[in-house]
Amino acid sequence: MSELYKFLSGNVPGGIGLYLLVVITFFLVLYSISRGNELFTRKKFLFWYSIIWVVATGIYITVWLQDPPETVLHRYSTLIYAEEPEDAWLAYYFRDGITSSLKPYRSKTNYLYYQRWNYLADLDCTLPANNGECQKLLDQLPIDELIVGELVRDNQDLVLHLKIVEPQDKKIKMEKTIPVIRESPLTTMKEIRTTLSKEFPLLPGNPALHEADSLFVLARDYFFKGKYDESQDYCSQLLSREPNHQEAQILLEYCQIRKAEQLKAVQTLEKDGDDLEEKPQWEVMLENARRSLIPIFKETLEANHINVLMANMIAESFMLQEKFDNAEEFLKIAYSANPFDIDVLENLSLLHPSRYKELGFIDEKHLLRKILMICPIHERVLQRYAEKLLISIPVDEAERVRLQEVLQRFLELNPQSEIGWILWGKYQLAIFQYREAIKAFQKADSLQPRLPVVQYNLGVTHFKLKNYREAEHYFKRAIEYGDYLDAHLYLGVIYQKKGDYQSALKEFRYRVANKTGEDDYYAIQAMKGIRECLEALNIPIPKE
């Protein structure tokens, strides 16, 4: 019933409740008039009430359709884990083998929630120590159908206790114990696939299914965890033993693309003796990776198979070089194969909106919200989404409610995220709930002490409350922990209020000297502060 009410309310201010209140109020008012006035006949009552009802309903439907509610999504997932840590690599192997066998989605509202996405909440669900937290997360998402697999040692043998459950109804649909053949886990994987085919739609064929090799399995898992050096190291070990291992070669190129992204952020262009710009190392890495990957991708495409991960990685390599037309082509191919892939959707969101409107997305906020519906624990996407909405929530009630719901859901699922608490604090700050903002920033500080951004926001909140002594304390910490530039502006204002114009000038001048561009708002405010301090000190103001 609550889901129906939420759906009918949509994003209309006041929702269906306010609509019903208005309609009932007009009914009672007109009815009372008709009872007390003979000239206001029953016919006139019905006529005027019908007009009011049609107008009110028309307005409500129009507003509802302008921003309809999000579709309720249904998820199926896996929870494959090992009883013993030394068997974890086999759990990774079966996890990835199962997810590569399953269709990534059944319908527009029913999709595969990948177990590896839990890494976004720092949860490795293949380890038994995390089993309780993983179960809690999956219950809260929620997951409608769950493939559970527990690797257990039975004397000298290893078995997989496999079952399919419906967590919401606490119902076990299927249960089976499958012996694990240590010499050939692929044989076990094929039996798992056959067993699951009776309950789940599988992809035809399975080009991703391969023999188990602990080096490759661990290399791939490190890649999913974002540990590219470790992944590359395992790939190199495997290739030194098997130089023609194509999957390891492909994974190595993926690592090169991600490492090129990291290198781009820190590497500057070098010039040769002729003063010509040499191609930076990160660009060379990207082009070499594409030279290897694109022919392989074309081969798989000709075989009527779309490797979504490969298409996405090739697109990323183009985007890093700002070749967005090429990137768009590969992203749309990947999206056609799996419209629920969060990495593909995130990369699409980095393109100009005109490039993805034909896919049904209105703008960047709409696309980011879609990702958060699919994977509500995606911290990086949440940060981008929240920062965009924080600008508009003081004047847009619908945006405020939407952001509040997204942040609350994220913190419910991932309460140990300091980024989540920082964003919740910024939200409270934006709606003038300063005491709640302080609580949120203090929570973030307890999870990750000495973060300059947390100290800065605590300073801003105390400044808004006119607790200038506390604000000064936190701004100084923000500068001490990481020279947070905007803290200098606020410190300057505090010193200015205290009449310490020399100290204020020092802070203002530092902020201006470190401006980030001609439109740097805080640097402009610091320049105004310099002028006011000079006037207070009766010092002539320079013409420039």
Side-chain angles (χ1 to χ4, degrees):
M1 191 67 180
S2 62
E3 288 297 329
L4 177 61
Y5 181 87
K6 192 173 181 179
F7 176 78
L8 292 175
S9 293
N11 294 304
V12 180
I16 191 70
L18 180 60
Y19 162 78
L20 292 173
L21 178 63
V22 170
V23 170
I24 292 170
T25 300
F26 272 106
F27 176 86
L28 294 174
V29 169
L30 292 176
Y31 182 74
S32 64
I33 293 173
S34 69
R35 296 285 291 177
N37 189 335
E38 293 181 358
L39 296 176
F40 197 74
T41 62
R42 176 183 173 83
K43 187 176 181 180
K44 288 183 177 180
F45 162 72
L46 292 173
F47 173 78
W48 284 108
Y49 180 71
S50 297
I51 290 177
I52 290 170
W53 179 81
V54 168
V55 170
T57 304
I59 292 172
Y60 187 84
I61 291 173
T62 301
V63 175
W64 191 93
L65 289 173
Q66 285 178 350
D67 190 10
E70 307 289 2
T71 308
V72 176
L73 297 177
H74 299 279
R75 306 169 182 87
Y76 51 101
S77 187
T78 62
L79 181 59
I80 312 298
Y81 59 96
E83 184 182 51
E84 300 294 334
E86 51 265 39
D87 297 325
W89 77 271
L90 275 171
Y92 297 138
Y93 173 72
F94 291 130
R95 176 200 68 188
D96 295 339
I98 291 171
T99 52
S100 67
S101 297
L102 297 172
K103 281 191 174 181
Y105 65 101
R106 290 167 164 172
S107 68
K108 291 181 179 180
T109 60
N110 194 333
Y111 68 97
L112 171 63
Y113 178 91
Y114 288 87
Q115 183 175 333
R116 65 174 184 264
W117 288 351
N118 295 328
Y119 290 150
L120 293 167
D122 292 326
L123 277 179
D124 186 344
C125 292
T126 58
L127 304 177
N130 295 332
N131 196 258
E133 287 184 71
C134 292
Q135 286 280 7
K136 182 180 177 182
L137 174 63
L138 297 175
D139 287 342
Q140 290 175 326
L141 276 169
I143 298 296
D144 298 282
E145 288 182 275
L146 185 63
I147 300 169
V148 181
E150 182 184 15
L151 277 168
V152 179
R153 295 192 177 193
D154 184 8
N155 295 323
Q156 299 300 314
D157 299 323
L158 186 65
V159 298
L160 178 71
H161 293 313
L162 187 70
K163 58 184 177 181
I164 299 174
V165 300
E166 294 178 352
Q168 304 308 304
D169 298 328
K170 302 187 184 304
K171 176 183 175 184
I172 298 176
K173 292 177 63 178
M174 185 279 294
E175 198 166 6
K176 184 177 182 180
T177 298
I178 301 175
V180 176
I181 303 172
R182 293 177 184 272
E183 297 75 23
S184 180
L186 178 58
T187 303
T188 306
M189 185 61 241
K190 289 178 178 177
E191 185 176 350
I192 294 170
R193 180 179 163 86
T194 302
T195 302
L196 293 177
S197 65
K198 300 169 186 176
E199 301 289 341
F200 285 91
L202 304 184
L203 289 170
N206 203 347
L209 213 58
H210 50 75
E211 286 287 355
D213 186 297
S214 61
L215 287 176
F216 177 71
V217 170
L218 291 171
R220 182 172 55 191
D221 191 63
Y222 274 123
F223 176 81
F224 291 144
K225 288 174 177 172
K227 297 181 178 180
Y228 307 119
D229 288 331
E230 291 88 339
S231 179
Q232 185 172 290
D233 182 53
Y234 276 107
C235 283
S236 299
Q237 289 182 51
L238 178 54
L239 289 169
S240 67
R241 191 185 72 201
E242 298 179 45
N244 296 322
H245 196 293
Q246 189 182 54
E247 292 297 324
Q249 291 171 343
I250 291 170
L251 185 57
L252 195 60
E253 301 300 350
Y254 294 168
C255 290
Q256 288 295 295
I257 292 171
R258 291 286 168 85
K259 291 187 75 174
E261 180 181 8
Q262 295 170 347
L263 192 59
K264 180 184 178 182
V266 297
Q267 191 177 60
T268 56
L269 291 174
E270 296 178 357
K271 297 183 179 181
D272 61 19
D274 297 325
D275 203 35
L276 295 174
E277 291 184 349
E278 291 182 352
K279 188 171 289 187
Q281 185 184 351
W282 61 267
E283 283 205 62
V284 175
M285 291 165 66
L286 293 174
E287 290 172 3
N288 287 340
R290 281 203 301 271
R291 201 172 292 119
S292 298
L293 294 175
I294 289 178
I296 299 172
F297 182 76
K298 286 181 177 178
E299 286 179 18
T300 60
L301 206 57
E302 288 169 2
N304 294 318
H305 171 68
I306 297 175
N307 187 323
V308 174
L309 177 58
M310 188 180 294
N312 186 62
M313 294 307 301
I314 293 171
E316 278 189 23
S317 73
F318 279 122
M319 291 177 75
L320 287 167
Q321 291 181 293
E322 299 184 8
K323 297 179 179 180
F324 298 112
D325 287 340
N326 303 89
E328 179 186 354
E329 182 181 347
F330 283 93
L331 287 174
K332 286 184 175 178
I333 292 172
Y335 180 82
S336 69
N338 184 6
F340 291 94
D341 189 290
I342 58 175
D343 295 320
V344 172
L345 290 170
E346 185 179 7
N347 280 328
L348 276 171
S349 74
L350 298 172
L351 301 177
H352 190 274
S354 62
R355 296 180 182 271
Y356 50 72
K357 276 191 175 180
E358 65 186 72
L359 301 178
F361 300 108
I362 301 168
D363 54 23
E364 185 181 349
K365 287 188 291 187
H366 185 205
L367 188 41
L368 294 175
R369 191 162 71 246
K370 173 74 171 181
I371 298 170
L372 291 170
M373 286 179 63
I374 296 169
C375 183
I377 58 173
H378 203 312
E379 189 176 81
R380 184 173 60 248
V381 169
L382 175 74
Q383 195 163 6
R384 285 178 57 200
Y385 179 69
E387 295 293 354
K388 284 191 167 296
L389 264 64
L390 282 168
I391 299 169
S392 59
I393 61 172
V395 293
D396 192 326
E397 176 65 12
E399 295 277 45
R400 184 197 69 76
V401 172
R402 194 175 292 123
L403 179 57
Q404 178 180 317
E405 289 176 349
V406 168
L407 288 171
Q408 286 177 328
R409 179 154 169 71
F410 177 86
L411 288 171
E412 177 188 7
L413 296 169
N414 190 10
Q416 300 305 308
S417 166
E418 73 278 2
I419 297 298
W421 286 106
I422 291 170
L423 293 172
W424 182 245
K426 286 184 175 182
Y427 166 76
Q428 296 294 340
L429 194 58
I431 61 172
F432 313 111
Q433 299 299 311
Y434 300 131
R435 299 296 177 188
E436 292 301 315
I438 288 173
K439 290 179 185 177
F441 293 133
Q442 286 175 338
K443 176 66 175 178
D445 191 45
S446 70
L447 293 169
Q448 189 68 41
R450 300 176 68 87
L451 279 179
V453 66
V454 173
Q455 306 304 315
Y456 168 76
N457 278 291
L458 279 166
V460 171
T461 311
H462 281 289
F463 185 89
K464 298 284 187 183
L465 288 167
K466 299 184 179 180
N467 297 334
Y468 298 124
R469 182 179 294 180
E470 286 290 317
E472 181 181 348
H473 167 74
Y474 285 113
F475 288 134
K476 285 180 176 178
R477 275 191 174 182
I479 293 168
E480 177 190 349
Y481 295 160
D483 196 18
Y484 203 92
L485 282 179
D486 294 340
H488 288 279
L489 172 66
Y490 275 98
L491 268 182
V493 173
I494 291 171
Y495 291 144
Q496 188 179 7
K497 287 179 179 292
K498 291 162 64 174
D500 186 354
Y501 298 112
Q502 292 295 347
S503 296
L505 277 171
K506 180 183 176 183
E507 300 298 335
F508 289 143
R509 283 170 173 159
Y510 186 89
R511 183 62 186 85
V512 172
N514 291 277
K515 67 180 180 181
T516 57
E518 294 304 317
D519 59 347
D520 185 334
Y521 175 78
Y522 284 91
I524 293 169
Q525 295 304 308
M527 284 188 267
K528 291 180 181 178
I530 291 172
R531 177 180 291 273
E532 290 169 0
C533 288
L534 291 175
E535 288 175 349
L537 292 168
N538 293 318
I539 297 174
I541 299 171
K543 292 182 179 179
E544 294 185 3

